[in-house]
Amino acid sequence: MLPTLRRKLEALAERRDELERLLADPEVIGDADRFRRFSREFSQLEPVAVALGSEAAARQDLATAEAMRSDPELRELADEEIAAAHARLQQLEAELLAHLIPRDPRDEGDLYLEVRAGTGGDEAAIFAGDLFRMYARYAEKQGWKVEIESANPGEHGGFKEVIARVEGRGAYSQLKFESGTHRVQRVPETESQGRIHTSAATVAIIPVEADEVPVDISPADLRVDTFRSSGAGGQHVNKTDSAIRITHLPTGTVVESQTERSQHANRDKAMKRLRAMLADAQAAKAAAAQAASRKLQVGSGDRSQRVRTYNFPQGRITDHRVEGLTLYDLPNVMTGDLEALVARLQQEHRADELAQLTSAD
């Protein structure tokens, strides 16, 4: 391991020790916000201290085994112990390097899921509906909550556009690589001659604004319009102008909310989503400038990038960002079994981050 990386790890361990002292300070204990913030940071740094302790123990085991080699009767056992210690040290080095990967403060938070039909007419809308159900079922398996905030159904099923909020710990960390264009190859139900059609839908994963990355919005930059709701709401629908449309004038970003019965509630929902979209745009701009060479640019803003193809005749799903990432398990994936894809994309992301980390030092 490079000396600069070693020093970074030691600095993290020192910060962990400092936090342990602070958490025992009565002044900090009496300040709920500071105590909560320090506790969260301490829990994030504790694994670093544990890994460094394990590494020190493994080095001691290695030194003991090497000393045993001078005894002919113990040399064979010593060689086994040396090999085991080297393997353990290699494993611990990878673990320690992983702790140096910058933490995304948004990872543990919620997200907005936006799915829109692309090229392909009615079939694209049907596919957009299939994608939304895939994510909703995956979220259900994770114990997350999914709440549709707006939806524009397709004429023959599915959605022209559907926007939902997904709430659950770690939701963004697991779905943040889904943004982009998803392509489907299959025979549509409306196809009378059995020809395979290619359609597409776009997915956007937008993290809910994190405490660490606040976005300031000037009221002077907003245009707020009211209109009559057309969604759920029983007798209330179409009788009052409770729906809200907010336009952020500097960027042209437009958000709407009409699922609540009052203007106040709809405005609150719309503002939360607007803040998330603006924060995501800022993060995407910074990420594009710093990591143009990476394969998995989280929140790159480029929704036109083709990220995945779903081939129904062959039961095949291929992610185009990772070499060799092809699964012949399409029926199960479409019912929400995304674990294999999510794990591989996270692994690839960690490899990219480690490569950037080591090349920078």
Side-chain angles (χ1 to χ4, degrees):
M1 183 184 300
L2 294 173
T4 52
L5 299 180
R6 173 68 59 181
R7 285 195 293 270
K8 289 180 181 179
L9 286 167
E10 292 170 350
L12 292 176
E14 291 172 2
R15 174 59 177 167
R16 179 261 180 206
D17 293 341
E18 179 187 9
L19 287 167
E20 187 174 36
R21 291 191 296 271
L22 286 170
L23 289 170
D25 187 334
E27 184 177 339
V28 173
I29 294 174
D31 186 332
D33 289 339
R34 288 180 69 195
F35 187 81
R36 188 184 309 109
R37 187 170 68 253
F38 288 161
S39 296
R40 185 167 59 231
E41 186 181 356
F42 178 85
S43 66
Q44 292 166 354
L45 294 179
E46 179 67 8
V48 178
V50 171
L52 284 171
S54 298
E55 184 190 45
R59 291 191 184 281
Q60 182 59 49
D61 292 342
L62 177 60
T64 301
E66 288 176 338
M68 289 168 53
R69 292 194 82 252
S70 59
D71 187 335
E73 295 183 2
L74 298 176
R75 183 169 297 171
E76 184 175 348
L77 176 61
D79 288 340
E80 294 177 2
E81 294 290 334
I82 289 171
H86 277 301
R88 177 62 174 154
L89 285 169
Q90 187 175 10
Q91 175 189 350
L92 286 166
E93 179 171 325
E95 184 179 331
L96 286 167
L97 285 172
H99 288 304
L100 288 176
I101 295 175
R103 185 183 70 89
D104 189 336
R106 306 170 298 177
D107 271 355
E108 293 302 305
D110 307 331
L111 60 92
Y112 291 102
L113 166 64
E114 302 182 355
V115 185
R116 295 179 175 85
T119 55
D122 293 335
E123 170 64 8
I126 293 171
F127 179 53
D130 292 340
L131 286 177
F132 179 75
R133 282 188 292 275
M134 177 184 76
Y135 293 124
R137 288 169 179 168
Y138 177 69
E140 181 181 358
K141 292 178 181 179
Q142 306 304 312
W144 303 337
K145 176 184 176 183
V146 178
E147 179 183 0
I148 294 179
E149 296 211 341
S150 68
N152 183 6
E155 295 180 7
H156 296 278
F159 297 100
K160 294 179 182 178
E161 176 186 89
V162 58
I163 299 171
R165 177 165 173 146
V166 180
E167 299 179 352
R169 185 171 182 179
Y172 181 69
S173 68
Q174 295 188 53
L175 291 180
K176 63 184 179 181
F177 302 113
E178 295 301 307
S179 291
T181 297
H182 295 239
R183 187 178 66 168
V184 63
Q185 296 172 328
R186 64 184 176 188
V187 179
E189 294 181 5
T190 55
E191 170 58 53
S192 59
Q193 299 183 23
R195 292 176 298 185
I196 296 175
H197 287 221
T198 298
S199 304
T202 60
V203 174
I205 302 295
I206 301 172
V208 173
E209 183 187 13
D211 294 338
E212 294 87 342
V213 283
V215 174
D216 293 324
I217 300 177
S218 171
D221 291 337
L222 301 178
R223 186 178 72 234
V224 181
D225 302 308
T226 60
F227 60 98
R228 197 155 292 179
S229 297
S230 59
Q235 295 180 351
H236 176 73
V237 174
N238 295 327
K239 290 190 177 181
T240 62
D241 292 338
S242 61
I244 292 290
R245 179 185 298 111
I246 300 178
T247 304
H248 185 248
L249 300 175
T251 62
T253 304
V254 180
V255 294
E256 294 181 358
S257 179
Q258 56 178 310
T259 57
E260 301 298 323
R261 294 174 62 89
S262 72
Q263 281 190 15
H264 178 76
N266 279 322
R267 183 187 176 99
D268 183 59
K269 273 193 169 183
M271 283 300 299
K272 286 179 178 178
R273 190 160 145 251
L274 177 62
R275 288 181 181 279
M277 293 176 72
L278 294 178
D280 185 54
Q282 289 180 7
K285 185 176 181 180
Q290 297 174 7
S293 64
R294 298 185 190 181
K295 289 175 282 187
L296 299 175
Q297 290 191 43
V298 181
S300 65
D302 184 8
R303 311 304 183 203
S304 64
Q305 179 192 11
R306 188 186 69 176
V307 296
R308 195 173 294 152
T309 294
Y310 305 72
N311 186 300
F312 276 75
Q314 298 178 16
R316 170 174 52 83
I317 181 169
T318 300
D319 196 292
H320 304 288
R321 297 164 294 180
V322 180
E323 185 177 356
L325 182 44
T326 296
L327 303 177
Y328 288 88
D329 193 27
L330 184 54
N332 288 325
V333 169
M334 297 307 295
T335 58
D337 289 346
L338 296 176
E339 289 81 1
L341 282 170
V342 169
R344 182 64 186 279
L345 290 168
Q346 289 180 328
Q347 178 185 2
E348 195 72 18
H349 176 63
R350 285 192 294 270
D352 282 349
E353 291 289 310
L354 280 174
Q356 293 286 328
L357 184 68
T358 53
S359 64
D361 285 275

